[in-house]
Amino acid sequence: MTRPARPARHARSAPTAPPVSPARLAALLRGLRPSCGPVRLVGVDGHAGSGKSTFAARLAVELGGAPVLHLDDLASHDALFGWTGRLSTQVLAPFSRGEEARHEVYDWTRRAFTRWRALPPAPVVLLEGVGAGRRAVRPQLAALAWMDMAPSRAWGRGRRRDGPQLREFWEGWTRAERTHFADDPSSPYANFLVRERPEGYEVREGPAGHP
């Protein structure tokens, strides 16, 4: 049986452990126990626009090319957070057996699932997206990283990135995200907090402590 991430042990005003680099974080992740079959599944969660995809790409490089599963590929316009069944049957179940996963990929322009993607049961696989640390997924995670950015700042960045043509989508998204995290927060269960700095990323121990 896999070990779920631990909840916050006690309240504290700021992490006390020294920060580590993405390269050091990669080394720590490689040393964790597998959490889903032979895979160390690592969640990268945070508010939309907080830089999850960019950080996951950087971490994947530090891990020697670790696969990255983007939850945007499993979600859809009609089910922004209704992807847990697809993740479980198409990815987690095969990984638990040590098998290659194949999952559907949603096309946000055509508004349909249009192709399939293969995902190997690598030593470390990154699961990136809003809700990657939700309660239905946490038991299968070896560790959870949270992008430590206020929602207002993250959403502002996302809106600027996507432009005015997606204003209506963002209005619906922010309502859905608020509802999701109010019911199923991820940040209290984060093992690592990731902050963007001008000189690069700063990774500190999160509320749940080292996995």
Side-chain angles (χ1 to χ4, degrees):
M1 182 175 180
T2 54
R3 181 185 63 178
R6 292 173 292 174
R9 293 170 296 190
H10 55 78
R12 56 187 177 188
S13 58
T16 56
V20 299
S21 66
R24 176 56 180 157
L25 175 61
L28 292 172
L29 297 176
R30 290 191 195 98
L32 297 179
R33 291 184 299 175
S35 59
C36 188
V39 176
R40 296 157 183 83
L41 189 65
V42 176
V44 179
D45 203 342
H47 299 288
S50 61
K52 298 178 300 301
S53 297
T54 303
F55 177 72
R58 167 71 182 279
L59 186 56
V61 171
E62 298 291 353
L63 287 162
V68 181
L69 172 55
H70 302 283
L71 288 174
D72 283 351
D73 289 345
L74 301 182
S76 67
H77 283 89
D78 296 330
L80 295 177
F81 291 95
W83 41 259
T84 51
R86 187 171 290 108
L87 175 69
S88 178
T89 58
Q90 297 180 2
V91 178
L92 301 183
F95 278 178
S96 70
R97 300 188 296 267
E99 299 172 358
E100 179 182 79
R102 291 185 72 251
H103 67 85
E104 295 174 279
V105 177
Y106 188 73
D107 187 317
W108 289 85
T109 300
R110 299 170 63 181
R111 303 177 73 96
F113 288 94
T114 58
R115 62 187 178 90
W116 290 79
R117 180 196 177 201
L119 201 65
V124 180
V125 175
L126 303 179
L127 179 67
E128 174 276 318
V130 180
R134 70 193 310 177
R135 66 174 67 94
V137 180
R138 284 196 297 270
Q140 303 297 327
L141 295 181
L144 175 62
W146 173 264
M147 303 303 294
D148 195 23
M149 181 180 292
S152 57
R153 182 185 172 201
W155 294 337
R157 292 199 335 172
R159 286 175 181 269
R160 289 191 296 274
R161 176 194 66 201
D162 293 342
Q165 65 273 18
L166 290 181
R167 179 180 58 83
E168 184 176 352
F169 173 81
W170 268 96
E171 290 175 354
W173 171 267
T174 53
R175 289 193 298 270
E177 186 179 310
R178 284 193 186 98
T179 299
H180 167 73
F181 280 133
D183 175 66
D184 193 355
S186 297
S187 58
Y189 301 90
N191 305 109
F192 303 100
L193 299 178
V194 182
R195 296 167 182 162
E196 288 188 32
R197 303 297 190 198
E199 63 276 12
Y201 291 104
E202 175 185 277
V203 182
R204 290 186 177 271
E205 183 179 320
H210 196 281

